[in-house]
Amino acid sequence: MSVFIFPREKEITAEVVQNFIEQHQAKIPRYLRLKNMYIGNHPILSQQDKPDYKPDNRLVVNFAKYITDTFNGYFIGIPIKVSHDDPSVNDRVDEFLNRNDMDDNIAELSKMTSIYGHAFEFLYQNEESETCCTYSDPMEMFIVYDDTIAEKPLFAVRYQVTDDGIKGQLFTATEEITITEGKDGLILSDNKPHYYGDVPVIEYIENEERQSIFENVEALINAYDKAISEKANDVDYFADAYMKILGAEIDETTIQNIRDNRIINLFGADDVSKLIVEFMEKPNGDANQEHLLDRIERLIYQTSMVANINDESFGNASGVALEFKLQPMKNLAAMKERKFASGMNRRFKMVFNLPTNMEPSKKDEWRNLNYTFIRNIPRNISDEADTAGKLAGIVSKETQLSVLSFVDNPKQELERIQKENPGSYPTNENGDFVTGGKEDGEVS
């Protein structure tokens, strides 16, 4: 999906904004289609009705939701750990993250990017002049980038179509401008400065193509819905199959008795050998249907690169086998991790630009933030503890603690250890514990 581009040297007028809103409106049908796929409102539910005498089951197997939720549970089920080597910077970052309930924000952003291919986060100041951020789906917000090779954000628009016309905000690198719609088009007014130093809207993307995680298997999902619905129709057909009686004439009363009593007793026919009483059956394609359903299901997981964790083979897989099964999903997560890290760098760059958030001398320390993404898979705590123990003296204590999946913030954990054991575990300038006059792990 292409991005919106506009020359940096040109003026951003109401006509320019109107043109980009119209281009964005052309993308809304795609977003609605993808949202409907996720919530289970699939095309089969709105297909043309069959004649009344035919079974017309409409079954939806929501692979789109399963793929999205499974992948995001794997990718972001365990919150991202953000840390900095400087305790004062680390405290400021933690304060910002806690104030904005960032674990939930990022989880929603991740889900939105998987559904739509991209989503947005924007910064604002609350009534207490604190920097806050929230998320937005791409149906009501877009970013326009400049025409340089770097494609830097030029401006962003957040809008809604109301009964009174379009209303919203235009965000540039220095101002927030109100958008309203008049008789002759859009009106830009009420310019308010901001001090983030950049467009305060961050785009998070699923991949460079901004493609939904299930978009490339959308046709397969629709085919599965159709196939399993037709299979249900066949079941109904056989349950209501017609009975044929050939070689004998029966009246309405006899037909009623056969239906009510479920007993057939025909006699008096001229030639009993020619009498046929049986149900009419259409050709049975059950085996072909099952093969088709199995094939489509296999292709959905294979093409989307998201593992079917409900597969029985997962429960019996060894550690190495499990790694191979999860490898495609691991590759997807690694790519998304890089995209999210880039977005978070932009966020903290703007957050640190405000003196109320970070002292001016440290405003560039966003470059030294560490993001730790932990894949949400079953963990063997005993093995992790063994691994962490073997790392003593080889790596820093902070790195040693980061191996443990249940330790959310290694720096805070180090502080807790020192508080619980004051003076017992002093550290050197590298953060390593020093015990008995020697560094932990040092051999005398």
Side-chain angles (χ1 to χ4, degrees):
M1 190 183 75
S2 59
V3 298
F4 293 145
I5 301 293
F6 188 72
R8 178 169 287 276
E9 65 275 6
K10 290 189 177 181
E11 182 184 1
I12 303 170
T13 63
E15 290 74 18
V16 170
V17 174
Q18 176 75 52
N19 177 56
F20 279 111
I21 287 179
E22 291 173 359
Q23 292 184 51
H24 179 257
Q25 284 286 305
K27 297 178 182 289
I28 298 297
R30 171 180 173 267
Y31 295 140
L32 289 173
R33 191 189 80 240
L34 293 172
K35 181 180 180 180
N36 284 332
M37 287 295 293
Y38 177 76
I39 64 177
N41 186 16
H42 292 192
I44 193 169
L45 298 177
S46 56
Q47 72 179 9
Q48 185 176 358
D49 292 342
K50 291 187 177 183
D52 292 339
Y53 63 86
K54 286 188 175 183
D56 191 10
N57 289 285
R58 312 284 181 92
L59 302 185
V60 169
V61 182
N62 202 345
F63 283 106
K65 181 175 176 61
Y66 181 90
I67 290 169
T68 301
D69 292 352
T70 298
F71 175 69
N72 282 285
Y74 172 76
F75 172 68
I76 207 76
I78 299 176
I80 302 169
K81 300 176 184 178
V82 184
S83 61
H84 193 281
D85 292 337
D86 186 332
S88 63
V89 175
N90 203 60
D91 291 342
R92 294 287 189 97
V93 170
D94 285 344
E95 180 185 353
F96 171 80
L97 296 177
N98 293 331
R99 180 170 65 243
N100 288 283
D101 197 10
M102 197 57 68
D103 291 345
D104 180 65
N105 277 2
I106 286 291
E108 287 300 315
L109 272 171
S110 181
K111 185 178 77 174
M112 285 180 181
T113 59
S114 290
I115 295 172
Y116 302 109
H118 63 146
F120 301 97
E121 179 182 68
F122 70 97
L123 302 174
Y124 65 96
Q125 300 297 114
N126 65 12
E127 293 79 3
E128 287 77 33
S129 297
E130 296 172 324
T131 303
C132 300
C133 70
T134 189
Y135 50 83
S136 175
D137 66 49
M139 286 196 284
E140 60 180 23
M141 178 173 277
F142 62 87
I143 287 184
V144 178
Y145 296 90
D146 66 22
D147 58 350
T148 65
I149 194 170
E151 286 190 358
K152 294 183 178 180
L154 189 58
F155 66 89
V157 174
R158 180 173 180 261
Y159 73 98
Q160 292 180 330
V161 180
T162 68
D163 294 338
D164 298 326
I166 293 174
K167 292 183 178 180
Q169 300 87 34
L170 167 67
F171 302 94
T172 69
T174 57
E175 293 179 314
E176 176 185 338
I177 304 168
T178 300
I179 301 172
T180 54
E181 187 170 11
K183 294 181 180 179
D184 300 323
L186 294 185
I187 300 171
L188 305 182
S189 60
D190 192 21
N191 299 28
K192 294 186 296 185
H194 66 75
Y195 305 97
Y196 298 111
D198 202 346
V199 179
V201 176
I202 303 104
E203 182 182 23
Y204 289 81
I205 61 178
E206 185 76 8
N207 46 60
E208 199 62 34
E209 296 73 30
R210 292 168 173 79
Q211 186 180 40
S212 165
I213 193 171
F214 56 80
E215 197 165 1
N216 60 344
V217 294
E218 189 177 353
L220 288 171
I221 295 172
N222 290 331
Y224 194 96
D225 289 345
K226 182 178 180 181
I228 200 167
S229 296
E230 289 300 333
K231 189 171 181 62
N233 289 341
D234 286 349
V235 172
D236 285 352
Y237 173 85
F238 285 114
D240 297 328
Y242 287 94
M243 174 180 284
K244 64 181 180 181
I245 300 176
L246 306 179
E249 182 178 357
I250 55 177
D251 55 26
E252 290 293 328
T253 302
T254 304
I255 293 174
Q256 185 66 40
N257 288 332
I258 291 172
R259 182 185 298 122
D260 293 344
N261 301 319
R262 299 185 181 182
I263 296 174
I264 301 174
N265 182 19
L266 300 175
F267 58 91
D270 295 335
D271 188 354
V272 178
S273 64
K274 294 182 179 179
L275 181 63
I276 300 174
V277 181
E278 62 183 17
F279 283 101
M280 297 177 64
E281 295 184 13
K282 62 190 261 187
N284 187 349
D286 185 69
N288 288 336
Q289 289 173 333
E290 287 297 327
H291 285 315
L292 177 62
L293 289 170
D294 290 344
R295 177 69 63 84
I296 294 175
E297 182 176 355
R298 200 160 52 243
L299 285 173
I300 286 173
Y301 289 116
Q302 180 180 331
T303 307
S304 67
M305 298 172 66
V306 174
N308 178 11
I309 58 176
N310 293 323
D311 194 316
E312 293 180 0
S313 62
F314 261 82
N316 302 321
S318 65
V320 175
L322 190 63
E323 285 290 329
F324 276 109
K325 286 177 178 291
L326 294 175
Q327 188 61 43
M329 194 156 66
K330 188 176 181 180
N331 293 339
L332 276 182
M335 177 174 62
K336 186 168 181 173
E337 178 181 320
R338 291 189 288 270
K339 303 300 182 185
F340 263 61
S342 177
M344 288 188 292
N345 276 336
R346 240 194 108 227
R347 174 217 293 159
F348 282 111
K349 180 181 180 181
M350 287 187 281
V351 170
F352 282 21
N353 198 60
L354 271 66
T356 53
N357 296 325
M358 187 62 61
E359 51 193 276
S361 62
K362 296 181 179 179
K363 72 173 187 176
D364 291 330
E365 285 301 312
W366 61 270
R367 301 177 188 272
N368 298 317
L369 287 172
N370 301 309
Y371 308 115
T372 305
F373 293 78
I374 300 174
R375 306 292 177 247
N376 188 18
I377 58 176
R379 302 279 179 176
N380 188 324
I381 303 300
S382 177
D383 286 350
E384 288 183 355
D386 289 343
T387 302
K390 292 174 182 177
L391 291 174
I394 300 175
V395 297
S396 68
K397 278 294 178 183
E398 183 178 344
T399 303
Q400 190 178 348
L401 288 172
S402 68
V403 172
L404 303 174
S405 58
F406 55 85
V407 176
D408 292 332
N409 192 316
K411 282 190 175 298
Q412 289 182 355
E413 190 65 24
L414 281 172
E415 292 173 2
R416 292 191 192 104
I417 292 173
Q418 291 176 333
K419 287 179 181 178
E420 290 177 359
N421 303 277
S424 299
Y425 296 95
T427 58
N428 62 17
E429 65 275 6
N430 297 321
D432 293 325
F433 283 131
V434 178
T435 59
K438 296 182 181 294
E439 291 188 14
D440 189 25
E442 184 177 339
V443 180
S444 57

